[in-house]
Amino acid sequence: MTSTTELMSYEEALASYDPVMGLEVHVELGTNTKMFCGCSTVFGGEPNSQVCPTCLGLPGALPVVNRTAVESAIRIGLALNCEIAEWCRFARKNYFYPDMPKNFQTSQYDEPIAFDGYLDVEVQGKTWRVGIERAHMEEDTGKSTHVGGATGRIHGADYSLLDYNRCGIPLIEIVTKPIEGAGDLAPEIAKAYVAELRDLIKALGVSEARMELGQMRCDANLSLRPHGREKFGTRSETKNVNSLRSVERAIRFEIQRHATVLSEGGTIVQETRHFHEDDGTTTAGRVKEEAEDYRYFPEPDLVPVAPTREWVEELRATLPEKPSVRRKRLQTEWGISDFDMQSLVNAGAVDAIVETVAAGADSDAARKWWLGELARNANERGVEVGALPITPVQVARVAALVKAGELNDKLARQVIEGVLAGEGDPDAVVEKRGLKVVSDEGALGAAIDDAIAAQADAVAKIKSGNLGPVGALIGAVMKATRGQADAARVRELILEKLGVS
Ligand code: ADP
Ligand code: MG
Ligand code: ZN
């Protein structure tokens, strides 16, 4: 497709074609050490300070499997309703890449540790069962930085820097079966699946699964087939999509792109693609290798993994409350409707609210701030609420100040704005910006007297029992105090002064 071709509309695309999706999600495990050596996995160390002969692929070095990583893989498999292999092996996936010094990635191929499961996700009040093909263990690659070019890509760069600290960090790759029949809900189902998987991984405690840090990333496969055709079309694979919103946008764009190409009589090439956050498009990457290009073979340096059934059952007993069950429980605790709960889930705000309540806030107040001011702000920044530079403890403090009458809502919003702008904790922002509610009754009283003197008509109506114009008087007082009065208290004082109750 050339850039001059007009993209077919989403609706038109779905009028002719059925989308088929496949989602491959990589999760970086939060183990202390790497998959096959004892090197630290702590993020942010000096480049190449967390390496050894094994993860550098030096001749003669021998790998040893990380037991905790296997345990995490089994727990993930069980949580995804998978079978756990009685016996499986690692395999070498051979390809040359400078950030992978062994020249092969130790992965699993036709013998994954977990296979044939499912994950239920809820979309528009309906449950979708997404089939899980397999979950397998592998290792991460290093990180390359290309210096000197305009694009940050290797092309045009003067030189490249390699950091092998990430090389060998345990990864679990979770691959869905083809997702068929989703129709126009496909992008939403893809997003809901990744969100549910993320919540499950977090609940298992095996990874923080923070997409913005690359701890969880999704490759989104998509193909189209004409309505009524059984055979799948050719797929594209959009790599390393790293936010929930991007998963949805990437699938949507690919549906439109495929439909445009196919309807013009063109063919879709099986290739990887890159997603661009700025304009929501994808561009071609490399033409996809076939499995035989990787010359997979069983890893001769590692013993097979043969988890006993006793161990598997022990691990099954450690599974946490399912995210869907937890959501139902929280919904009851907070006394909110299905619709309200769904809004919290969509906003990615559930954990933030749980933590804000744990820090002492009422659930109503916590919901109000995270769904209102903070969701709006996150939306503007194009991030999840959890990624905002404000903590649940800080939000709980704002709620406490409101509850104590020291801030009204308008001032509280300014405090939140200050925290988000990096001005410090809520108390520091209140102090610096001078945002306390005017509760000095003397100052309030003077502002109220002025308002009463200036609005004789309103006063007469109020005295005769028509309380409508009270709002105008409150407005005048709020204006005089630059919004820093407690409106409810002002109302009480006005009525008191006018002798109306
Ligand atoms: P690869 O390693 O080549 O990416 P995988 O088998 O790991 O292949 O993953 C392919 C993913 O795409 C799986 O989720 C699979 O269900 C899905 N898939 C396979 N064929 C198609 C197709 N024609 N259209 C859409 N998705 C597909
Ligand atoms: Mg794959
Ligand atoms: Zn190492």
Side-chain angles (χ1 to χ4, degrees):
M1 188 179 65
T2 63
S3 54
T4 51
T5 311
E6 182 97 28
L7 209 58
M8 186 186 280
S9 78
Y10 184 67
E11 291 68 29
E12 208 184 328
L14 286 157
S16 310
Y17 301 101
D18 287 328
V20 175
M21 298 188 288
L23 301 166
E24 301 170 69
V25 174
H26 284 91
V27 178
E28 226 179 47
L29 295 179
T31 52
N32 295 324
T33 56
K34 293 187 180 179
M35 187 76 213
F36 303 112
C37 63
C39 289
S40 165
T41 56
V42 172
F43 181 78
E46 274 290 298
N48 301 309
S49 62
Q50 294 157 206
V51 294
C52 74
T54 300
C55 56
L56 286 177
L58 300 186
L62 285 175
V64 178
V65 177
N66 181 332
R67 183 183 164 97
T68 307
V70 176
E71 186 175 296
S72 300
I74 294 174
R75 293 178 69 236
I76 290 171
L78 290 171
L80 291 171
N81 307 291
C82 287
E83 306 281 321
I84 304 301
E86 308 223 357
W87 189 93
C88 65
R89 279 180 301 192
F90 286 94
R92 291 189 180 183
K93 183 178 184 183
N94 294 279
Y95 60 105
F96 172 75
Y97 219 72
D99 58 13
M100 203 182 52
K102 291 188 296 192
N103 283 342
F104 61 84
Q105 180 187 32
T106 308
S107 181
Q108 293 194 289
Y109 180 46
D110 49 357
E111 298 167 344
I113 181 111
F115 53 93
D116 198 16
Y118 61 85
L119 181 63
D120 286 336
V121 302
E122 210 166 296
V123 172
Q124 296 194 356
K126 191 168 163 269
T127 300
W128 267 88
R129 179 156 291 188
V130 175
I132 303 294
E133 168 106 24
R134 63 178 196 273
H136 72 247
M137 301 179 279
E138 57 183 39
E139 57 180 339
D140 213 342
T141 56
K143 180 169 177 279
S144 37
T145 309
H146 307 298
V147 186
T151 59
R153 300 238 161 135
I154 195 164
H155 184 80
D158 294 332
Y159 58 92
S160 297
L161 296 170
L162 287 161
D163 175 8
Y164 292 115
N165 286 352
R166 197 179 63 187
C167 204
I169 289 189
L171 290 181
I172 304 297
E173 178 174 345
I174 300 151
V175 182
T176 69
K177 295 179 181 172
I179 303 169
E180 304 176 56
D184 64 345
L185 287 181
E188 226 181 305
I189 289 174
K191 177 182 171 195
Y193 166 76
V194 179
E196 188 73 17
L197 186 55
R198 181 193 61 181
D199 290 351
L200 186 66
I201 298 287
K202 285 206 292 202
L204 285 163
V206 295
S207 168
E208 287 178 36
R210 289 178 59 182
M211 296 187 80
E212 74 279 12
L213 297 184
Q215 293 171 341
M216 179 164 165
R217 36 198 201 253
C218 176
D219 299 343
N221 294 268
L222 178 102
S223 66
L224 294 183
R225 56 182 173 185
H227 290 316
R229 166 99 65 86
E230 204 168 316
K231 192 168 172 288
F232 290 167
T234 304
R235 67 185 157 110
S236 59
E237 180 178 358
T238 306
K239 302 292 281 184
N240 292 329
V241 187
N242 61 6
S243 76
L244 296 178
R245 187 160 164 265
S246 297
V247 170
E248 185 174 14
R249 291 171 81 205
I251 292 283
R252 198 181 165 93
F253 178 82
E254 281 296 284
I255 288 175
Q256 290 179 255
R257 186 183 69 84
H258 281 230
T260 307
V261 172
L262 294 173
S263 68
E264 288 171 353
T267 41
I268 293 291
V269 190
Q270 187 173 336
E271 64 188 357
T272 63
R273 296 187 67 88
H274 304 291
F275 178 70
H276 306 285
E277 302 277 347
D278 47 355
D279 62 359
T281 64
T282 66
T283 51
R286 59 187 157 80
V287 171
K288 185 75 185 166
E289 287 86 353
E290 295 294 328
E292 48 272 28
D293 295 332
Y294 291 124
R295 291 161 291 122
Y296 279 103
F297 65 87
E299 167 60 63
D301 287 343
L302 286 166
V303 291
V305 176
T308 63
R309 295 303 96 178
E310 292 73 35
W311 189 29
V312 171
E313 289 318 307
E314 266 170 43
L315 293 176
R316 196 190 299 279
T318 69
L319 295 186
E321 184 183 25
K322 267 197 221 163
S324 55
V325 173
R326 173 175 181 254
R327 281 197 300 272
K328 279 273 171 284
R329 173 173 61 75
L330 292 172
Q331 193 183 327
T332 310
E333 277 174 27
W334 297 341
I336 60 175
S337 67
D338 286 355
F339 179 83
D340 285 347
M341 193 64 198
Q342 196 53 47
S343 313
L344 299 184
V345 171
N346 291 345
V350 175
D351 287 334
I353 292 167
V354 169
E355 287 166 38
T356 306
V357 170
D362 295 340
S363 65
D364 285 347
R367 277 200 300 128
K368 171 174 143 181
W369 292 116
W370 284 106
L371 258 196
E373 197 60 11
L374 292 164
R376 193 179 53 67
N377 204 286
N379 206 24
E380 274 169 22
R381 296 175 187 228
V383 299
E384 305 270 300
V385 287
L388 285 173
I390 188 167
T391 64
V393 171
Q394 289 171 324
V395 175
R397 179 61 187 154
V398 171
L401 289 171
V402 172
K403 199 171 176 184
E406 291 185 39
L407 290 178
N408 59 25
D409 280 5
K410 181 160 170 249
L411 295 172
R413 277 197 291 278
Q414 292 178 45
V415 173
I416 287 175
E417 186 188 292
V419 174
L420 291 172
E423 293 167 28
D425 276 333
D427 292 284
V429 176
V430 167
E431 187 66 37
K432 267 188 235 160
R433 295 195 178 192
L435 293 178
K436 278 243 156 103
V437 159
V438 177
S439 51
D440 166 0
E441 307 254 312
L444 265 189
I448 289 170
D449 289 344
D450 288 349
I452 288 176
Q455 302 198 41
D457 284 358
V459 169
K461 281 186 191 151
I462 295 168
K463 282 189 167 163
S464 70
N466 172 4
L467 294 188
V470 174
L473 292 183
I474 297 173
V477 175
M478 295 306 280
K479 196 167 170 203
T481 57
R482 301 199 331 279
Q484 289 179 228
D486 174 358
R489 181 68 190 137
V490 170
R491 183 186 173 86
E492 272 171 24
L493 289 173
I494 290 171
L495 295 179
E496 221 170 79
K497 281 200 193 250
L498 297 181
V500 186
S501 53

